[in-house]
Amino acid sequence: MLSAAQLSALGLAAASAVASEKTTKLPAELTVPQWALESGWGEHAPGNNCFGIKATTGTASQTLSTQEVPHPNAQPVTEEQQFEVFPTLQACFDRHAALITSAQPCAAAWAQYLKDGDKAMLMQRIAPRYAPNNLLYSTKLARILQMSEVRGAIAQARKPLVNIT
């Protein structure tokens, strides 16, 4: 069961995911579970970076400690790395979508999704590229997506706004 703070953060994330989906076609059913897993339900998103997106040359960044796992059987190693900083949560969701839909590591998975529209398979195809040393990543994402609160937040974010005058 999610806390009130987590439910509030979930609503904001779902709204950002659905807005991003409208322009990028990356389904909120992938990005909301990734948000939940990567940010601890919004509790860890320094600089509005809820996906742990590493900084590249020319992007605003901050130095943070991170736990990296060099290979599946290795112990986590703490490192200082540069992470991108975003002005808004929406900007982070848009950048995440750009990485999935246009960056080389995910190109084949994205191309296949555009052909078959299979969101569950997209999740499975992205997982080894997004979290190569976390063999249960896609299973964790699928479990999060099965939560009624997550499905409900996405559905609510997709509802058109009603203008009452």
Side-chain angles (χ1 to χ4, degrees):
M1 181 144 176
L2 299 177
S3 71
Q6 290 171 323
L7 286 171
S8 177
L10 173 60
L12 295 172
S16 293
V18 168
S20 183
E21 177 184 71
K22 288 177 182 175
T23 58
T24 66
K25 297 186 176 47
L26 183 65
E29 288 81 2
L30 173 68
T31 57
V32 172
Q34 278 193 290
W35 162 84
L37 188 58
E38 296 293 329
S39 73
W41 296 95
E43 291 181 23
H44 310 289
N48 287 312
N49 188 340
C50 57
F51 296 107
I53 298 171
K54 304 251 176 31
T56 58
T57 303
T59 61
S61 66
Q62 60 186 333
T63 303
L64 298 170
S65 292
T66 183
Q67 294 276 317
E68 298 293 329
V69 181
H71 57 80
N73 296 324
Q75 292 296 316
V77 177
T78 301
E79 298 177 352
E80 297 287 317
Q81 292 191 7
Q82 292 297 119
F83 289 86
E84 201 160 335
V85 172
F86 298 96
T88 63
L89 187 62
Q90 178 67 55
C92 183
F93 271 84
D94 290 342
R95 177 77 168 112
H96 174 261
L99 291 170
I100 300 292
T101 61
S102 63
Q104 184 55 39
C106 299
W110 181 245
Q112 187 60 44
Y113 172 74
L114 291 177
K115 290 179 189 173
D116 63 29
D118 189 330
K119 294 173 187 173
M121 286 305 298
L122 175 61
M123 199 176 290
Q124 289 180 15
R125 291 180 187 118
I126 293 294
R129 284 132 189 96
Y130 199 86
N133 296 320
N134 186 340
L135 303 178
L136 298 176
Y137 193 78
S138 66
T139 301
K140 291 175 184 179
L141 294 177
R143 284 187 186 140
I144 292 169
L145 183 57
Q146 290 172 356
M147 295 173 65
S148 61
E149 296 94 339
V150 172
R151 291 189 317 271
I154 294 169
Q156 183 66 34
R158 286 190 174 129
K159 285 185 179 179
L161 295 175
V162 177
N163 190 4
I164 300 173
T165 55

